[in-house]
């Protein structure tokens, strides 16, 4: 049995879950939350989020890449969001690699060197500042005044504002 089989089994057991507002794709709180794919960050629980309230964008590190800007531009311009809440976290997988080592590994195995940045970091507060600055500097985004960056401690659950 694969993990996907197990998830499908759980889904069937849970049945159709339909509470919350499903009337519009526009988030009612007009906010986008950007965070890491880390499985310990339970975004909906941490912020008491309900269905229909916020956009949640995730990738490795919660880093503001070009693709995050793509989603943010759509979120703000077409779906009405105005604020950005960025959450990076302690003990992130991106602190376990370096830019060159990971690219070397990919090149060794595939013969290709990626053109994208791995976005590895050592100090999580620096990664928060870097990502927040990318949002604030992006000319594609109409709403850059309310952008706040935090570190989430995956062990204690404490959220600390950085910028
Ligand atoms: Zn992470």
């Amino acid at each position: 049995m694969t993990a996907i089989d197990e998830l499908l089994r759980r889904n069937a057991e849970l049945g159709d879950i339909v509470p919350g507002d499903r009337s519009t794709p526009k988030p009612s709180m007009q906010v986008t939350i950007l965070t890491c794919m880390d499985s310990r960050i339970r975004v909906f629980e941490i912020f008491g989020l309900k269905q229909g309230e916020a956009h949640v964008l995730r990738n490795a590190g919660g880093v503001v890449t070009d693709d995050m800007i793509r989603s943010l531009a759509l979120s703000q311009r077409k779906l009405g969001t105005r604020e950005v809440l960025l959450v990076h976290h302690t003990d992130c997988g991106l602190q376990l690699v370096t830019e060159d080592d990971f690219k070397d590994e990919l090149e060794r195995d595939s013969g290709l060197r990626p053109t994208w940045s791995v976005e590895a970091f050592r100090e999580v507060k620096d990664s928060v500042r870097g990502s927040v600055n990318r949002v604030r500097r992006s000319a594609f985004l109409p709403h850059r005044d309310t952008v706040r960056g935090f570190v989430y401690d995956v062990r204690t659950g404490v959220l600390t504002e950085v910028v």
Side-chain angles (χ1 to χ4, degrees), residues 23-37:
S23 63
T24 170
K26 296 185 175 182
S28 62
M29 293 185 77
Q30 299 186 304
V31 64
T32 301
I33 301 170
L34 271 63
T35 193
C36 183
M37 65 187 183

Side-chain angles (χ1 to χ4, degrees), residues 62-99:
V63 177
V64 176
T65 57
D66 282 350
D67 192 60
M68 280 287 206
I69 294 292
R70 177 185 73 90
S71 294
L72 268 177
L74 287 161
S75 176
Q76 293 196 351
R77 291 177 177 274
K78 301 300 172 192
L79 296 165
T81 65
R82 308 178 66 88
E83 300 179 36
V84 177
L85 167 55
L86 183 119
V87 182
H88 290 185
H89 67 99
T90 58
D91 197 28
C92 186
L94 277 183
Q95 291 168 303
L96 303 176
V97 298
T98 68
E99 196 73 24

